[in-house]
Amino acid sequence: MTKTELIKEKYDKYVMPTYARDGIAFAKGKGITLWDADGKEYLDFFPGWAVSGIGHCHSKVVAAIREQAGVLIHVSNNYYSELQAELAKKIIYHAFPGKVFFGNSGAEANECAVKLARKYGSQSKRYEIITMEKSFHGRTIAMITATGQDKVKHGFEPLLEGFKTIPFNDLAAVKAAVTEKTVAIMIEPIQGEGGINAADKSYIEGLRKLCDEKDMLLIFDEVQTAMGRTGEMFAFKNYNVQPDIMTLAKSLGSGVPIGATVASSRIADTLTAGTHASTFGGSPIVSAAALATFEAIEKEGLLENARDMGAYLREKLEGLKKEFDFVKKIKGIALMIGVELSIDGKQIFNECRKRGLLINCTQGNILRIMPPLTVKKEDIDKAIKIIKESMATI
């Protein structure tokens, strides 16, 4: 048996089958490259669902984790931690005036956002939250209720009361859905799992105006779009519209589990002592990793690289669109790109993987391409060559 087959045998026997795994066991990663347990090399253009946003095992993050692991790994949130405070300060510097709560994941960050919104609306007996079709907000009971895709809800009913899902990018639908019980609108500026659907600028501006008029909170789920993915540290900066609450996770810690809920100064003290908590949230070791991630993005010019390489990647994909008539549309912003096909994308996805390129296929016909912010032109050229060869098999 190969090493991969031996690992798979243990999974089949001991690990719950909650994931459709691709049959690869990775053993090592560096930058944009992964190696499996049997030594095969892969170019990673979908690094850990965008978690390894600055590449695998970035030297600054590795050094920060190693140093902190020898000093203090965890301390209870009943006490203060200088690194957690520094990380909150860094997030607020790049986001907007306010405060931060730390958890372990995107679902946790979104749960905190929902609790904050409900607490904010409790005095006026408002609790309903409007979310969008094709959205994805996590796998907890509240977050599958918030998510605008029926496939994640099946078998888990009854779901939590108080969520209303409407079409994306439709301001009239939002206005029609608002009732006297509505307290918040929750939206991904660019839907990731939903198929790289970017919100229109006028739509986001309309949501902000509506929230201001109705005293509702605007929640941006930036779990996938944050940390430079769209060429700005946070995607909301592309729209020049500030949310009341923003949620972060995935690439914030470059691979260590961390989530964050950012609330504006006006509402940041809504959740008080005893109303919310997370045992591991914002521990010294994950805070060190996240601070190192910010440092890498700031000092290595990775926002500019995301914009430049995103434009180069889009240009190359537009070339494939001219060559293959089943490529219908190239969409997204900077290094968060979707290739919409008129056919099922599974065969192309599988062919890319066989040839050593990792991408993703979502919604059946959208190739999701999100390389690390450190990607170079030569990496993109290699990836485009593989995608072209894979498309030629159709």
Side-chain angles (χ1 to χ4, degrees), residues 73-188:
I73 293 174
H74 175 77
V75 64
S76 164
N77 275 313
N78 288 73
Y79 305 103
Y80 295 113
S81 162
E82 183 178 6
L83 286 174
Q84 185 181 125
E86 285 299 319
L87 177 57
K89 181 181 176 184
K90 178 66 77 173
I91 291 172
I92 293 300
Y93 170 79
H94 281 286
F96 43 82
K99 295 181 181 177
V100 183
F101 173 85
F102 290 104
N104 305 293
S105 67
E108 262 194 74
N110 286 331
E111 285 274 351
C112 177
V114 166
K115 284 184 70 176
L116 197 159
R118 285 195 167 202
K119 194 75 163 54
Y120 177 78
S122 61
Q123 288 192 338
S124 54
K125 301 187 185 307
R126 295 182 297 159
Y127 60 90
E128 283 185 353
I129 296 175
I130 294 172
T131 66
M132 306 302 154
E133 291 178 359
K134 291 192 175 180
S135 61
F136 183 81
H137 298 296
R139 296 280 184 178
T140 62
I141 284 292
M143 289 307 106
I144 64 172
T145 311
T147 291
Q149 301 187 57
D150 289 341
K151 66 181 182 182
V152 307
K153 306 173 197 252
H154 182 66
F156 298 106
E157 300 85 356
L159 300 175
L160 192 66
E161 183 184 357
F163 291 92
K164 187 181 291 183
T165 302
I166 61 169
F168 183 68
N169 252 341
D170 186 340
L171 189 58
V174 180
K175 290 179 178 177
V178 172
T179 72
E180 71 280 0
K181 294 179 181 176
T182 308
V183 70
I185 298 169
M186 186 172 184
I187 184 172
E188 299 157 279

Side-chain angles (χ1 to χ4, degrees), residues 128-371:
E128 283 185 353
I129 296 175
I130 294 172
T131 66
M132 306 302 154
E133 291 178 359
K134 291 192 175 180
S135 61
F136 183 81
H137 298 296
R139 296 280 184 178
T140 62
I141 284 292
M143 289 307 106
I144 64 172
T145 311
T147 291
Q149 301 187 57
D150 289 341
K151 66 181 182 182
V152 307
K153 306 173 197 252
H154 182 66
F156 298 106
E157 300 85 356
L159 300 175
L160 192 66
E161 183 184 357
F163 291 92
K164 187 181 291 183
T165 302
I166 61 169
F168 183 68
N169 252 341
D170 186 340
L171 189 58
V174 180
K175 290 179 178 177
V178 172
T179 72
E180 71 280 0
K181 294 179 181 176
T182 308
V183 70
I185 298 169
M186 186 172 184
I187 184 172
E188 299 157 279
I190 305 173
Q191 293 182 332
E193 210 279 335
I196 313 294
N197 306 311
D200 295 336
K201 191 170 188 297
S202 61
Y203 175 64
I204 292 291
E205 290 171 346
L207 294 182
R208 180 68 272 172
K209 186 171 182 289
L210 184 62
C211 285
D212 291 340
E213 290 171 354
K214 303 286 186 181
D215 187 27
M216 299 186 301
L217 302 180
L218 183 58
I219 304 170
F220 279 1
D221 177 342
E222 291 230 24
V223 166
Q224 193 164 123
T225 55
M227 305 304 291
R229 174 62 52 195
T230 67
E232 298 283 352
M233 192 65 82
F234 304 119
F236 79 82
K237 296 188 174 227
N238 290 291
Y239 294 89
N240 199 28
V241 168
Q242 181 181 310
D244 299 295
I245 302 172
M246 176 177 68
T247 58
L248 311 172
K250 293 198 184 297
S251 58
L252 175 58
S254 291
V256 297
I258 183 170
T261 307
V262 188
S264 66
S265 299
R266 181 172 69 92
I267 59 168
D269 294 332
T270 300
L271 291 176
T272 54
T275 60
H276 198 56
S278 174
T279 297
F280 297 103
S283 71
I285 200 161
V286 300
S287 295
L291 282 165
T293 302
F294 271 109
E295 183 183 349
I297 293 171
E298 291 169 340
K299 292 188 175 178
E300 295 174 17
L302 297 185
L303 296 181
E304 183 181 6
N305 194 62
R307 291 191 289 269
D308 292 346
M309 292 302 101
Y312 185 70
L313 175 58
R314 179 180 284 269
E315 177 190 328
K316 294 294 180 182
L317 290 169
E318 290 287 354
L320 295 183
K321 178 171 173 285
K322 292 175 184 170
E323 196 165 343
F324 298 97
D325 60 6
F326 54 77
V327 178
K328 307 305 289 185
K329 186 178 181 182
I330 312 300
K331 53 187 181 175
I333 300 176
L335 289 176
M336 190 169 184
I337 298 288
V339 180
E340 184 175 332
L341 309 173
S342 61
I343 59 172
D344 191 325
K346 190 173 181 181
Q347 183 177 333
I348 296 170
F349 162 75
N350 285 330
E351 289 292 335
C352 285
R353 186 185 57 195
K354 286 179 193 173
R355 289 167 167 77
L357 173 68
L358 301 175
I359 57 174
N360 174 254
C361 180
T362 187
Q363 301 296 314
N365 68 325
I366 310 290
L367 301 178
R368 189 163 31 159
I369 303 174
M370 300 170 60

Side-chain angles (χ1 to χ4, degrees), residues 2-4 22-29 33-44 349-358 386:
T2 65
K3 286 184 178 178
T4 298
D22 283 341
I24 307 172
F26 285 115
K28 188 172 71 172
T33 306
L34 280 170
W35 291 265
D36 72 15
D38 296 296
K40 182 175 178 179
E41 185 175 314
Y42 294 83
L43 193 61
D44 194 358
F349 162 75
N350 285 330
E351 289 292 335
C352 285
R353 186 185 57 195
K354 286 179 193 173
R355 289 167 167 77
L357 173 68
L358 301 175
I386 292 173

